[in-house]
Amino acid sequence: MRLTAFLLCFAMSAGADPSADIVILGEVHDNSHAHLEQAAAVKALRPTAVVFEMLTAEEAAKADADRSQIAQAWSASGWQDFKIYAPIFDALGAARIIGAAAPREAVRSVFNDGPAALFGPEAARFGLDQPLPEDQHAARVEGQFAAHCNAMPREMMGGMVAVQRYRDATFARAALDALETYGAPVAVIVGNGHARTDWGIPALIAQAAPEVTTHAIGFVEAAGDTPFDETHLIPPVAREDPCKSLTKS
């Protein structure tokens, strides 16, 4: 069943089986098919607010206050071509636009000092004050090493994992804040790595607010073992080898 039909059926039966409080919509960032599917999901879900990984709080506030400024705010973010994301914004309806991107200087701080100090008093609520279980940390280090084309020193990958933890917690907090302010349902637009249910946003929401329900959908180009509540295959797009710039001699 296509996602749109699924969500429409879900919404129609909301009286007996209400949808999740927070729906996390993963993506392959440069794949326009993912964004078309996300847009269809947002249109069917009719969320009160949509949290974007790509926009800072300030950029999102400008876009939310004046929808004619959305493209300009997106350009200021330095993110990918607005045209492939435009369908999501076209589908927003009355949903508020929320930004959860961390400033670059914050990311640099986390890489060196870990996520807890910068995150603030709620660090413990999201588990950032504790080290990861050894097996999870090892798996995430190897994942980061592979994602960086096996071309960067492995000892740097612990910092990359810390940044990922910080960003996941930031997105989770933004979604919970939006839920408290605007009510359910809230949608979150993020990369598939943040949407995974084992250690991404859903897991952090479950830790921080176990009473809140989530539903994570991964839009992926190939079948794999990344855990989501739902996985939808999308057509792959042609792209240059992302490792070319890191591995060329």
Side-chain angles (χ1 to χ4, degrees), residues 14-233:
D17 187 14
S19 61
D21 297 318
I22 298 173
V23 178
I24 301 105
L25 301 171
E27 66 177 49
V28 179
H29 294 312
D30 65 349
N31 190 315
S32 60
H33 302 290
H35 307 311
L36 289 172
E37 293 284 2
Q38 288 172 319
V42 168
K43 186 174 182 179
L45 188 65
R46 299 175 65 186
T48 62
V50 179
V51 177
F52 286 88
E53 168 189 355
M54 305 82 190
L55 298 173
T56 65
E58 293 76 14
E59 290 160 352
K62 291 178 182 178
D64 189 56
D66 182 356
R67 299 298 170 99
S68 71
Q69 299 300 307
I70 289 174
Q72 183 177 346
W74 191 268
S75 178
S77 76
W79 204 258
Q80 311 210 349
D81 189 353
F82 176 71
K83 289 187 295 185
I84 65 173
Y85 281 86
I88 301 172
F89 290 96
D90 291 340
L92 288 181
R96 306 300 298 267
I97 301 171
I98 308 296
R104 289 182 178 86
E105 59 271 19
V107 171
R108 286 193 292 268
S109 172
V110 170
F111 184 91
N112 294 315
D113 303 326
L118 186 65
F119 196 79
E122 289 191 305
R125 182 186 180 204
F126 292 88
L128 297 182
D129 62 329
Q130 299 295 322
L132 294 173
E134 289 186 13
D135 57 345
Q136 184 187 136
H137 179 75
R140 295 178 73 158
V141 163
E142 290 306 309
Q144 289 289 340
F145 189 59
H148 290 85
C149 306
N150 300 344
M152 297 179 67
R154 188 180 261 103
E155 55 266 26
M156 292 181 61
M157 297 303 105
M160 298 291 189
V161 173
V163 169
Q164 189 83 348
R165 292 183 70 192
Y166 175 81
R167 297 182 73 209
D168 284 339
T170 300
F171 302 152
R173 180 169 61 182
L176 289 171
D177 287 349
L179 179 66
E180 181 177 358
T181 302
Y182 302 112
V186 169
V188 185
I189 302 293
V190 288
N192 283 321
H194 299 294
R196 58 187 299 155
T197 55
D198 53 355
W199 61 57
I201 296 169
L204 295 182
I205 289 175
Q207 175 168 345
E211 73 283 2
V212 172
T213 57
T214 64
H215 190 81
I217 304 172
F219 295 105
V220 302
E221 294 181 335
D225 58 2
T226 303
F228 305 105
D229 294 308
E230 286 184 68
T231 302
H232 293 261
L233 289 175

Side-chain angles (χ1 to χ4, degrees), residues 1-12 37 217 219 230-233:
M1 182 185 298
R2 288 185 60 81
L3 173 63
T4 306
F6 171 84
L7 285 173
L8 284 171
C9 291
F10 209 65
M12 286 188 294
E37 293 284 2
I217 304 172
F219 295 105
E230 286 184 68
T231 302
H232 293 261
L233 289 175

